[in-house]
Amino acid sequence: MTNRKLEAMAGIVIAIAGLATLVFLIPTYVATGFGFGLSPRVFPYVCAAAITALGLLLLLTRVVGEGGSGAISPVTVPMMRVFALIVGALALSIAVLSVFGYFAGGIVMVASFMILMGERSLLKVFSVSAIWTSALWILFEKMLGTPLP
Amino acid sequence: MNEILLGLSDAFTVTNLLFVAAGVVIGQVFAAAPGVGALTAITIAIPFTFYLSPVTALGFLMGINKGGTIGGAVSAILMNTPGSPEATATTFDGYPMARQGKANKALRTAHFSSVTGDVMSDLVLFLVAAPLSIAALKMGPPEMASVILVALVVIAGLVGKSVIKGLIAAFLGVFLSLVGLDPGTAGPRLTFDIPELMDGLSITAVAIGILALGEIIRQIVFLKIKGAEHDAEMVDLKNSDRFTFADYRGIFGTILRSASIGTVVGAIPGIGSSAAAFLGYGAAKRAAKDPSSFGKGDIRGVAAAEAANSAVVGANLIPLLALGIPGNVAAAMILGALIIHGVAPGPQLFAEQGRLVYGLFGVMIIGNICNLMIGLFSMRLFVKVLRVRLSIILPCVVLLCVTGVILANSMFGAWLLVGFAALGFFMRVLDFSFVTFIIGFVLGPMFELSVRQTVIVADGDIGYLMQRPIALILVGIAILLGWQLSRRTLRIE
């Protein structure tokens, strides 16, 4: 996929998200105010309208005009798979952290990222994750007195 | 005068000295380490400053910012790989110098040029910010709103390749800054009945997600796609030439020219230190009698690039302290820290918080001294830092990011962080300006407040604006700039 095509798709997604904000999110989730002064909805409407219009302009310049480069886009299926894996590891570590506490979550987080980055020595993975998590825990919990989960 | 003395006495304490020195070391190490930068360090450090006094917190953050001006040059000189984007121009002559057995001289040139450039721009800041803010005090809400509008248009137009994408990022930043209770009516705005969102989206979660974690995820993804990390060849420091006072005297003119360029560039919101380094380097090459020596290991090339990119640090605070408008992301983070510590930024800052501002100037002086002194001993530490693998550094920084957000916002902030890290990743991959987004997010509430006050004062009468010629001129400038930049971008795009 070329950068131009990718940016045209980004324009479509932005315009649709902007429209959804204008017709659904703001009317449903933003209060109306007291009927005098500046309504709480003014700025959200202005921003959402501008984002929608600019999203359409982005689409237009990529489809009709010659905007964006014809170079191959860096966004590929394998890249998105790796991205999903990393975000998944981050979310899982935070879930472990909130359920089992800082120690368990911290070790899982550092270890999973090290393994994802190609570190194969389990001894190194375990020692770095345990030492770094312990160091941060001692610094904040014991020395600075700031409670961690 | 009394406020100046009180501010300086607040700054010159042992506690502040220790925190500023710690900040300088952290900034230098983060800027030298591959994959992270001083900006990441400032962003992560903000939640850890909650428990400090405002002057100490600002001193710590300014220390990181100043330390970052040196660290990036180390890998640029020894490995031909800039530690931070603004050190790219340093590689042109720094690496050839290192290959010629002058690695030590190149590092010291970068060190002394950085500190000199930084000191010069700080002096300009100290002299210019107060008079500018006195002029700015005459500005009312309409003028303030129009200044912010001009700043957002300029930043959206100058940062990144596309004005359309820059403006989308700016409006998205402003839009997300509106989440929470409306300041006028206390009505909920996009809070989805979640109590944690009543105070709005936390600046620490947004900034750490977009600036730090988004970049780290991008690096990990591209590292995985492109294969294993390679150990770059590093030039040895042993037996290399020493830097002498005669060398410093020889490059002083170059430093002065580059520092002036960096100061002017830094005072204009949105241009940034990378552009300053290239402009400084170009000016030094044009001014040289023997320009052909540039790119082949000319000491003036290193001095020009480093003095210019470091001079941006102090000058970026000119629009911040005079008007409340950050010149770049680092200044936006300092603005965020001011807000977190209950300080209202804007033209009234000097009048209402003069003691704090002069305290900030005091810790900046301490920062420059620390940067000079610590840099004398830390170069060999940097060489060791450069040898640490990314697969160890990045996972440790990820945990530091999450810890910072948890300390600042509890577990809810950590979940927000995941979302903003993903957004930061996509903004980078699709080349949307995260700088514009963050500045829009920080300036959004100030912009809305100014417009709201204007509406109240005008009492619905549009003719009121005719009585505010400066505001009208500024709005005109914003429209003209927007039109010009859009035409340019549509031609390019």
Side-chain angles (χ1 to χ4, degrees), chain A residues 49-120:
Chain A
I51 290 169
T52 311
L54 287 163
L56 288 172
L57 194 61
L58 186 66
L59 173 67
L60 208 67
T61 52
R62 267 51 182 176
V63 173
V64 181
E66 293 185 358
S69 80
I72 299 296
S73 149
V75 181
T76 56
V77 175
M79 196 203 87
M80 290 308 296
R81 209 175 290 143
V82 176
F83 167 75
L85 211 62
I86 292 167
V87 174
L90 183 64
L92 178 78
S93 315
I94 292 174
V96 172
L97 203 149
S98 60
V99 176
F100 298 104
Y102 186 78
F103 250 118
I107 289 172
V108 169
M109 192 177 290
V110 177
S112 59
F113 271 81
M114 283 181 79
I115 291 166
L116 273 173
M117 289 186 73
E119 193 60 67
R120 290 290 167 260

Side-chain angles (χ1 to χ4, degrees), chain B residues 422-439:
Chain B
L423 180 64
F425 169 79
F426 281 114
M427 287 183 84
R428 278 172 176 80
V429 170
L430 296 170
D431 201 20
F432 280 79
S433 165
F434 57 88
V435 177
T436 322
F437 173 86
I438 287 290
I439 292 182

